[in-house]
């Protein structure tokens, strides 16, 4: 309304064409054109375009989120792997240490056993030796005794003649009579 | 008036030459609306004269260019909308249009209206592209800037005004909207004055929109024509290089202005809608 008033003010001075002339027909056509254009564009362009834009933005956001998720998951997996690796290494170290300890023990044990066996064998050998010694000694003794007996027998046979025998018997008899 | 303008059309520059630069009608003829499309020197097309209920609704030059802008927009955005059906990845013209659409949405509408901006997006996008296309059509040879007509800009501003008020009333209710116009904490004795001021403010906003667009789109053309007119006013060829250089500079400036004014109109409409919808700040 104030536009028409404005137009009136400006056109009243000039009879033919002013820049500020308001042509009602043009207003009419502007309204029609704009309304139709907006209606057509709204149905045909803005709705599909804006929804496509939103859809795309949503999909980009989703993909970014997914990528972020995948990255964190991968990181987690890597961390887990590293942890597992560390555990495995520790395990391996432990196993190696155990093996070493076992072998050490085994070595010691074997050494001890062999030493013990050696000692035992030495002991046995010593016992055998002493036994053999004893045997030999005994045999020697026996032989010496036999020899002595033989020798004494010979000596006795040599020295005991009739008078001596008579003397001895008499002596025995005397002893008997005394008792 | 019709015979007057046709006479002017026959040879505007010779008229200027003949009248020794005192007659400005040749200049005005390029800027103003007409009932013919002139393609000098190839001839002119007379447009049909229509009347409806005693109202002169003849098709004028600016009406033709409004339609041309509308047709161009429909063709372009039909193509763009179809390309989105094929794939969500833009290419070619879709890419370019998407930049503008996203710019309007993210840089103009979203920050100024905020929550619930989707409802106003179709209107503001249409306004932006319509004004932009009209502005650029005026820069083409034989083209005419429909947005340099006060009737067109005023109508666009009135449509904006209606959208602003209706948007505000739909959000806050009719009574709530008018109540919200007056800021909180105003002394009671100031209320009558504030009421008048605020109601006046409602009308000055679209008024400024209309005048700004009209003046900016008209001024550039007038300056270009005036610079070229210098050649005929001074009646020497030596001024031609200077005139043409300056005219070219203004023309380049007008490309910028065409963009800026489409942006400003949309931006301010969006801002006013935002103020009407969210009154509490």
């Amino acid at each position: 309304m104030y536009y028409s008033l404005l137009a009136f003010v400006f056109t009243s001075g000039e009879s033919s064409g002013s820049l500020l002339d308001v042509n009602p027909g043009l207003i009419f056509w502007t309204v029609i054109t704009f309304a139709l254009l907006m209606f057509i564009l709204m149905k045909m362009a803005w709705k599909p375009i804006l929804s496509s834009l939103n859809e795309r933005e949503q999909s980009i956001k989703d993909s970014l989120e997914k990528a972020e998720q995948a990255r964190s998951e991968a990181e987690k997996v890597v961390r887990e792997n590293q942890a597992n690796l560390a555990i495995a290494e520790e395990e391996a170290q432990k196993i190696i240490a155990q093996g070493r300890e076992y072998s050490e023990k085994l070595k010691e044990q074997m050494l001890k056993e062999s030493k013990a066996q050696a000692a035992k064998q030495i002991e046995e050998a010593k016992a055998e030796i002493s036994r053999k010694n004893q045997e030999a000694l005994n045999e020697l003794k026996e032989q010496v005794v036999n020899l002595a007996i033989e020798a004494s027998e010979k000596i006795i046979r040599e020295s005991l003649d009739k008078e001596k025998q008579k003397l001895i018997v008499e002596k025995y008899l005397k002893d008997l009579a005394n008792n | 008036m019709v015979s007057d303008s046709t006479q002017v059309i026959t040879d505007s520059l010779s008229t200027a030459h003949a009248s020794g630069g005192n007659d400005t009608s040749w200049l005005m003829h390029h800027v103003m609306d007409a009932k013919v499309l002139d393609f000098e020197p190839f001839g002119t097309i007379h447009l049909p004269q229509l009347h409806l209920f005693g109202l002169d609704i003849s098709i004028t030059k600016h009406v033709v260019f409004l339609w041309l802008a509308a047709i161009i927009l429909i063709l372009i955005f039909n193509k763009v909308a179809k390309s989105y059906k094929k794939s969500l990845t833009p290419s070619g013209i879709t890419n370019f249009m998407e930049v503008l659409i996203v710019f309007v949405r993210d840089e103009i509408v979203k920050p100024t209206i905020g929550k619930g901006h989707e409802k106003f997006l179709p209107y503001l996008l249409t306004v932006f592209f319509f004004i932009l296309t009209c502005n650029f059509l005026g820069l083409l040879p034989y083209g005419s800037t429909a947005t340099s007509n006060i009737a067109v800009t005023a109508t666009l501003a009135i449509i904006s005004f209606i959208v602003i008020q209706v948007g505000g009333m739909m959000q806050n209710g009719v009574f709530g909207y008018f109540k919200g116009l007056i800021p909180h904490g105003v002394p009671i004795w100031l209320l009558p004055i504030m009421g008048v001021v605020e109601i006046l403010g409602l009308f000055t906003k679209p008024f400024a929109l209309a005048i700004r667009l009209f003046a900016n789109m008209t001024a550039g053309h007038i300056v270009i024509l005036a610079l070229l007119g210098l050649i005929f006013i001074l009646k020497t060829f030596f001024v031609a290089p200077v005139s043409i250089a300056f005219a070219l500079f203004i023309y380049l400036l007008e490309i910028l202005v065409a963009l800026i004014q489409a942006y400003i109109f949309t931006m301010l409409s969006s801002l006013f809608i935002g103020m009407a919808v969210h009154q509490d700040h």
Side-chain angles (χ1 to χ4, degrees):
Chain A
M1 47 193 185
Y2 59 89
Y3 294 121
S4 51
L5 186 76
L6 185 87
F8 174 74
V9 169
F10 279 95
T11 46
S12 55
E14 301 158 53
S15 52
S16 75
S18 150
L19 262 183
L20 292 166
D21 266 350
V22 175
N23 177 2
L26 196 51
I27 293 180
F28 171 78
W29 284 120
T30 310
V31 170
I32 297 278
T33 310
F34 187 81
L36 270 178
L37 178 70
M38 188 170 144
F39 179 75
I40 292 171
L41 283 184
M42 201 155 88
K43 286 268 173 258
M44 193 195 72
W46 303 140
K47 255 180 204 162
I49 289 175
L50 289 172
S51 70
S52 301
L53 284 179
N54 281 339
E55 196 183 315
R56 200 183 57 203
E57 272 156 25
Q58 197 57 46
S59 82
I60 288 173
K61 210 194 267 176
D62 284 354
S63 335
L64 278 179
E65 258 166 37
K66 248 179 233 166
E68 183 62 30
Q69 213 175 328
R71 200 180 64 89
S72 66
E73 223 154 89
E75 256 174 28
K76 209 172 94 186
V77 167
V78 166
R79 240 178 291 136
E80 256 168 38
N81 278 353
Q82 273 173 347
N84 283 347
L85 209 66
I87 289 171
E89 202 160 316
E90 207 175 314
E91 198 91 350
Q93 287 297 338
K94 213 193 272 177
I95 287 169
I96 289 171
Q98 265 177 358
R100 198 171 287 160
E101 200 179 326
Y102 180 73
S103 71
E104 201 79 15
K105 217 188 264 176
L106 199 68
K107 197 174 95 183
E108 227 160 86
Q109 198 184 339
M110 275 168 80
L111 209 66
K112 212 190 273 177
E113 254 172 40
S114 61
K115 261 184 194 166
Q117 199 153 7
K120 201 172 144 197
Q121 273 175 356
I122 288 167
E123 206 68 29
E124 270 176 8
K126 271 183 184 167
E128 183 76 15
I129 287 166
S130 66
R131 202 171 52 88
K132 282 268 159 82
N133 270 352
Q134 199 64 41
E135 233 168 65
L137 208 64
N138 284 351
E139 211 167 310
L140 196 67
K141 265 181 191 167
E142 211 169 300
Q143 273 184 2
V144 167
V145 168
N146 283 346
L147 277 177
I149 288 172
E150 249 173 69
S152 58
E153 207 176 63
K154 266 178 192 171
I155 294 164
I156 290 169
R157 209 170 277 160
E158 291 273 316
S159 52
L160 279 184
D161 42 24
K162 275 185 188 164
E163 295 151 50
K164 271 185 186 171
Q165 278 175 0
K166 217 187 239 174
L167 264 174
I168 292 169
V169 173
E170 275 172 10
K171 195 185 168 187
Y172 273 117
L173 288 173
K174 219 195 255 172
D175 280 349
L176 278 171
N178 284 349
N179 288 339
Chain B
M1 188 183 158
V2 179
S3 59
D4 196 299
S5 54
T6 46
Q7 193 196 334
V8 171
I9 287 154
T10 47
D11 199 351
S12 53
L13 290 180
S14 67
T15 315
H17 189 255
S19 56
N22 294 327
D23 187 6
T24 57
S25 61
W26 66 275
L27 194 153
M28 297 312 284
H29 148 251
H30 276 278
V31 178
M32 284 176 61
D33 206 0
K35 300 206 168 175
V36 287
L37 289 177
D38 49 325
F39 295 101
E40 304 168 48
F42 307 111
T44 58
I45 299 170
H46 286 268
L47 296 163
Q49 314 255 329
L50 297 171
H51 289 272
L52 185 77
F53 307 125
L55 194 69
D56 180 19
I57 56 162
S58 307
I59 313 298
T60 62
K61 195 164 71 175
H62 284 162
V63 175
V64 171
F65 277 93
L66 284 177
W67 288 351
L68 196 59
I71 289 166
I72 289 170
L73 282 179
I74 288 171
L75 288 179
I76 287 177
F77 282 110
N78 189 29
K79 195 166 178 284
V80 170
K82 269 184 188 154
S83 85
Y84 275 114
K85 276 188 194 123
K86 273 184 238 147
S87 87
L88 281 180
T89 320
S91 66
I93 194 161
T94 312
N95 226 331
F96 178 65
M97 286 302 155
E98 190 190 300
V99 170
L100 292 176
I101 293 171
V102 170
F103 172 75
V104 171
R105 190 191 62 178
D106 291 350
E107 304 296 326
I108 301 178
V109 183
K110 238 183 218 171
T112 49
I113 300 181
K115 217 176 83 190
H117 69 275
E118 292 88 354
K119 270 185 290 179
F120 302 99
L121 206 46
Y123 165 70
L124 291 165
L125 279 170
T126 312
V127 158
F128 178 77
F129 284 105
F130 189 53
I131 292 176
L132 191 67
T133 316
C134 282
N135 290 354
F136 276 130
L137 281 179
L139 296 176
L140 296 178
Y142 296 119
S144 169
T145 327
T147 42
S148 70
N149 190 310
I150 187 80
V152 174
T153 61
T155 312
L156 290 174
I158 288 168
I159 296 171
S160 242
F161 175 76
I162 293 168
V163 172
I164 293 166
Q165 307 311 320
V166 171
M169 286 175 196
M170 271 165 69
Q171 183 71 27
N172 305 304
V174 178
F175 181 70
Y177 174 66
F178 283 111
K179 204 178 137 204
L181 282 178
I182 295 152
H184 293 294
V186 173
I188 291 168
W189 57 270
L190 257 179
L191 279 183
I193 304 168
M194 284 306 287
V196 171
V197 167
E198 291 293 339
I199 297 290
L200 263 177
L202 290 184
F203 290 96
T204 51
K205 284 168 190 168
F207 180 77
L209 280 182
I211 296 296
R212 183 181 298 111
L213 184 57
F214 155 74
N216 274 288
M217 295 326 295
T218 310
H221 287 69
I222 290 182
V223 171
I224 288 178
L225 292 167
L227 283 169
L228 293 179
L230 269 181
I231 303 167
F232 302 98
I233 292 165
L234 299 177
K235 291 178 186 164
T236 165
F237 293 118
F238 297 112
V239 79
V242 180
S243 283
I244 290 169
F246 273 88
L248 189 63
F249 170 71
I250 298 294
Y251 184 88
L252 294 175
L253 198 67
E254 273 222 78
I255 295 176
L256 194 66
V257 169
L259 270 165
I260 290 173
Q261 288 311 314
Y263 166 71
I264 295 264
F265 194 98
T266 316
M267 174 76 193
L268 289 177
S269 292
S270 184
L271 195 70
F272 298 150
I273 290 172
M275 281 160 69
V277 171
H278 306 294
Q279 287 181 316
D280 39 345
H281 50 76

